[in-house]
Amino acid sequence: MLFQLTDRPIEPLISSLHPHTGAIVTFEGRVRAVNDDREVSSLEYVAYPELALHEGHAIVSEALERFDIIGACAIHRTGHLVINDIAVWIMSAAVHRKEAFEATEYIINTIKARVPIWKKEHYSDGETTWVRCDHCANPHDHSKQSKASLKRKRYATR
Amino acid sequence: MLFQLTDRPIEPLISSLHPHTGAIVTFEGRVRAVNDDREVSSLEYVAYPELALHEGHAIVSEALERFDIIGACAIHRTGHLVINDIAVWIMSAAVHRKEAFEATEYIINTIKARVPIWKKEHYSDGETTWVRCDHCANPHDHSKQSKASLKRKRYATR
Amino acid sequence: MTILHITYFAALRDATGYSEETLTTEAVTAKTLFYELTEKYHWRFTETDIRIAINDRYRPPDTPLKEGDRVVFIPPVAGG
Amino acid sequence: MTILHITYFAALRDATGYSEETLTTEAVTAKTLFYELTEKYHWRFTETDIRIAINDRYRPPDTPLKEGDRVVFIPPVAGG
């Protein structure tokens, strides 16, 4: 399955690997608590399923043609999501790492540009809005969090 | 823990996330069944632990300085590994995806160049050799598997 | 006159109040249909904001419409 | 004369047959010690193949050696 939509939590699981696989690069798009300086409490993703599945499948197929990879797949969540939930999960597997990085980045960039999925942000003040895109169409300045403040809290693995 | 060595199987688990995290890029280096056209049956990784931990920690710290990321970590396996085992696992988390891709690629490239870990390949004919590096120092031609043959088998998620 | 099925998603669903409608139009291309519906619903999107899908595939704005087509105007996407 | 502790890893461990040894040397720098041990063990590595660690940190080849230093010659690494 090259591209899936699901309204259930995404649990990444790489089950069956080609024995020549030397590199796997995954991308997780997570729900952020802050977007454009507004405090987000939750999100709603809505897809146009027939076209989204067609485009998603085409994008992963294009990656398999363009890059020397062994396999790739992508899953996009729909429905109601909360902070830190995985909205999209992408994986590319290759013999060598360069191609796996390139393919995964290509797939997420192209999904964001082409797949008909929309995001409604729910803010902590009760307002909601359909986001035009994560990082480009809003007219006001995308002032960044200071790096120091972001680094105050670290996360760990197990 | 920015950098760890372990002689136990690596099970990636992202447990605690900064709420501003919007993008996580992971890299898994897996044991390949074929290297330089020889059939590999298993591998042995040996580390110089005191220096490997120092360099690994320094590399992840450098990534945190150089790239606008929220967190990063890396784990390298030691001991005996078989085909498809994870040899190294790296993760970077950021507000936006570009920086997460860059940091993860920087960390794996720099680990491969600097961390004192060695790999002995065991071949199916019973021979063994210390690998000088994955992809550069061997004098003979790195003839690639044909893309078609690699793509004969795909792998799936779940 | 052509009978068409229009489906609305996201901000266009909010703007029209409909998830779908069937209508009869004189519009010959998807682009002219878009202008016709802009008059009707006064949505805030312009032609450059929107992509067009006909029968579940992206199509150029000047695509001629046929009886029974399913038409979707795609507001800016925000997946990922 | 300086007393040093040498640790060998990977291909150098195989070449010397030792994981570590303590030796007394006239070598003043890590680089001259490397040539001294190349004479002794006839390993296949040249100076350009090898990096040098002294007391668990990478150091330049011309680093002077001190009594009690732990010296490791690092053959080409292959992690990842």
Side-chain angles (χ1 to χ4, degrees), chain C residues 33-78:
Chain C
L33 175 66
F34 177 76
Y35 284 116
E36 188 183 310
L37 292 169
T38 302
E39 293 271 302
K40 181 172 171 188
Y41 292 113
H42 304 290
W43 51 46
R44 64 193 168 89
F45 295 104
T46 66
E47 192 197 333
T48 54
D49 294 324
I50 294 286
R51 273 175 285 186
I52 287 160
I54 301 173
N55 301 328
D56 302 334
R57 297 294 178 267
Y58 282 123
R59 297 294 177 214
D62 57 357
T63 302
L65 297 169
K66 301 187 312 295
E67 186 86 5
D69 276 349
R70 181 191 193 192
V71 180
V72 183
F73 299 105
I74 313 276
V77 301

Side-chain angles (χ1 to χ4, degrees), chain D residues 1-2 4 24-34 36 64-65:
Chain D
M1 300 294 276
T2 318
L4 301 169
T24 304
T25 179
E26 289 180 350
V28 175
T29 68
K31 181 175 168 169
T32 50
L33 176 66
F34 177 76
E36 188 184 308
L65 297 169

Side-chain angles (χ1 to χ4, degrees), chain B residues 92-108:
Chain B
S92 304
V95 177
H96 300 296
R97 67 188 182 283
K98 184 169 170 286
E99 291 79 8
F101 276 106
E102 287 172 350
T104 299
E105 202 164 6
Y106 172 82
I107 292 169
I108 180 58

